[in-house]
Amino acid sequence: MLKEKGVQAIPIAYYYSFRHDQRPELFIKVGKRIEVNTETSRSELTHKLEQAVTTELDSIKSKLVSEDLSTFDVFMTGRKTLSEWLT
């Protein structure tokens, strides 16, 4: 990434959670692109990318704790769990 000009990185975080069910759900968050400067050191770039992914992961976790799923889109659904069949 540091050898080429004009490279952009996009932080993507994912988090598995069982929430209230017997089957896990996968939550994915795509962050804002990061411009990579060829004059940045490798350690600085690693730190910057680490912070970006951590920020996205923390965002997913905070939304799940508050049970705010309004910002997530459902891309795929699996089979119903036993508790879903019974309710």
Side-chain angles (χ1 to χ4, degrees):
M1 290 175 68
L2 294 173
K3 294 179 182 179
E4 300 293 326
K5 292 183 180 182
V7 174
Q8 298 175 355
I10 300 175
I12 300 174
Y14 60 93
Y15 187 77
Y16 283 96
S17 174
F18 284 91
R19 293 193 324 124
H20 305 291
D21 294 320
Q22 297 149 334
R23 296 184 194 263
E25 296 174 291
L26 173 62
F27 295 88
I28 302 171
K29 188 148 187 323
V30 180
K32 295 179 182 177
R33 65 182 174 191
I34 299 170
E35 299 286 335
V36 178
N37 186 345
T38 56
E39 297 172 11
T40 304
S41 73
R42 178 175 274 183
S43 63
E44 288 174 318
L45 177 60
T46 300
H47 181 68
K48 188 174 186 178
L49 294 174
E50 181 182 354
Q51 283 183 320
V53 172
T54 301
T55 299
E56 299 306 327
L57 184 58
D58 289 344
S59 172
I60 293 173
K61 288 180 180 180
S62 69
K63 297 229 183 250
L64 291 179
V65 167
S66 65
E67 298 199 18
D68 176 17
L69 303 181
S70 63
T71 60
F72 295 102
D73 295 321
V74 177
F75 287 109
M76 185 186 321
T77 57
R79 296 186 315 236
K80 288 185 179 182
T81 63
L82 181 59
S83 60
E84 289 173 325
W85 279 108
L86 294 174
T87 56

